[in-house]
Amino acid sequence: GENVEQHPSTLSVQEGDSAVIKCTYSDSASNYFPWYKQELGKGPQLIIDIRSNVGEKKDQRIAVTLNKTAKHFSLHITETQPEDSAVYFCAASDNQAGTALIFGKGTTLSVSS
Amino acid sequence: GAGVSQSPSNKVTEKGKDVELRCDPISGHTALYWYRQRLGQGLEFLIYFQGNSAPDKSGLPSDRFSAERTGESVSTLTIQRTQQEDSAVYLCASFTGLGNTGELFFGEGSRLTVL
């Protein structure tokens, strides 16, 4: 089955800096890669996703890149703000209807002002 | 409802007791998932429902865990004879169930503590 590795487990940056979180996956059939943000005491919430026919996707300060050959994808947050502080999870699936998303272990991002 | 609702939000129980965790998905969402999140860990897939059937139970950690869904709506996750290692946040998520995998909408979770 699919296995998703995520690193780093913790990341501390200064406000305004960029943050990069990287994930690798094992199943070459996977072609849907979402990123979720989880704030303290809340459930995870989708912030951006990418499908295998796209190499990069951007939404304001957030971007995701995908390298299917190397089986890795990354989340990039630019101009970080204190409210970006949260736990970020990457996930992968083979994009079949209802297939369970397999999540990485999460990255705790701390943005200090 | 407006979002995925889970109850109880917190549950403290003694080792060996049974617990039931409830999930009310977003109205009309046919797919429902249960995940477990241990402290400082990622989301561990437990079980998935499409309608009232569970085509994928592969994540249930032992036969002490079971889940059901009725009326293509509410789902209940039951843990029998709880153990301390069952302590975790149990998250429920729903999805429209139409087309390919898309956004999962998560509830805020049920935090289970087994003493």
Side-chain angles (χ1 to χ4, degrees):
Chain A
E2 177 64 274
N3 181 53
V4 178
E5 299 286 338
Q6 181 174 349
H7 59 94
S9 56
T10 60
L11 180 58
S12 296
V13 300
Q14 289 287 115
E15 182 177 2
D17 287 350
S18 294
V20 180
I21 303 170
K22 298 182 179 182
C23 288
T24 60
Y25 61 97
S26 62
D27 189 349
S28 58
S30 289
N31 54 15
Y32 174 64
F33 308 95
W35 286 87
Y36 282 76
K37 176 182 180 182
Q38 186 177 29
E39 296 177 338
L40 196 62
K42 303 287 187 182
Q45 186 170 12
L46 180 72
I47 56 171
I48 195 168
D49 58 12
I50 192 167
R51 298 180 190 272
S52 63
N53 58 338
V54 177
E56 182 174 358
K57 184 176 178 181
K58 189 173 182 180
D59 182 3
Q60 300 182 1
R61 296 185 298 107
I62 294 173
V64 56
T65 59
L66 170 65
N67 183 330
K68 284 218 77 181
T69 302
K71 294 186 192 165
H72 66 69
F73 56 112
S74 300
L75 178 72
H76 303 253
I77 306 174
T78 58
E79 300 171 31
T80 54
Q81 302 167 3
E83 52 265 38
D84 294 330
S85 296
V87 181
Y88 291 81
F89 293 98
C90 62
S93 87
D94 64 7
N95 208 31
Q96 297 303 305
T99 300
L101 283 173
I102 303 302
F103 286 83
K105 291 191 183 303
T107 296
T108 301
L109 174 64
S110 299
V111 181
S112 53
S113 56
Chain B
V4 177
S5 178
Q6 292 188 244
S7 61
S9 55
N10 279 287
K11 176 72 176 178
V12 180
T13 191
E14 293 180 348
K15 178 182 174 181
K17 301 281 190 181
D18 297 352
V19 296
E20 283 190 354
L21 308 176
R22 176 187 169 108
C23 173
D24 284 89
I26 293 173
S27 179
H29 281 195
T30 60
L32 184 148
Y33 302 78
W34 284 98
Y35 285 86
R36 178 170 71 178
Q37 185 175 27
R38 289 193 168 119
L39 186 64
Q41 299 297 309
L43 283 72
E44 177 187 4
F45 168 72
L46 298 179
I47 188 170
Y48 148 67
F49 287 92
Q50 180 62 43
N52 293 332
S53 63
D56 189 350
K57 304 180 183 179
S58 62
L60 293 178
S62 76
D63 59 7
R64 296 187 296 106
F65 288 71
S66 63
E68 65 174 15
R69 188 179 185 196
T70 56
E72 297 196 355
S73 180
V74 173
S75 176
T76 303
L77 177 69
T78 301
I79 309 172
Q80 296 179 308
R81 306 182 302 282
T82 52
Q83 303 294 312
Q84 288 183 332
E85 63 261 28
D86 299 335
S87 297
V89 175
Y90 290 82
L91 289 161
C92 174
S94 71
F95 164 60
T96 61
L98 301 175
N100 294 332
T101 304
E103 180 174 3
L104 295 186
F105 292 86
F106 282 88
E108 294 193 345
S110 291
R111 181 177 297 278
L112 173 65
T113 302
V114 182
L115 301 177

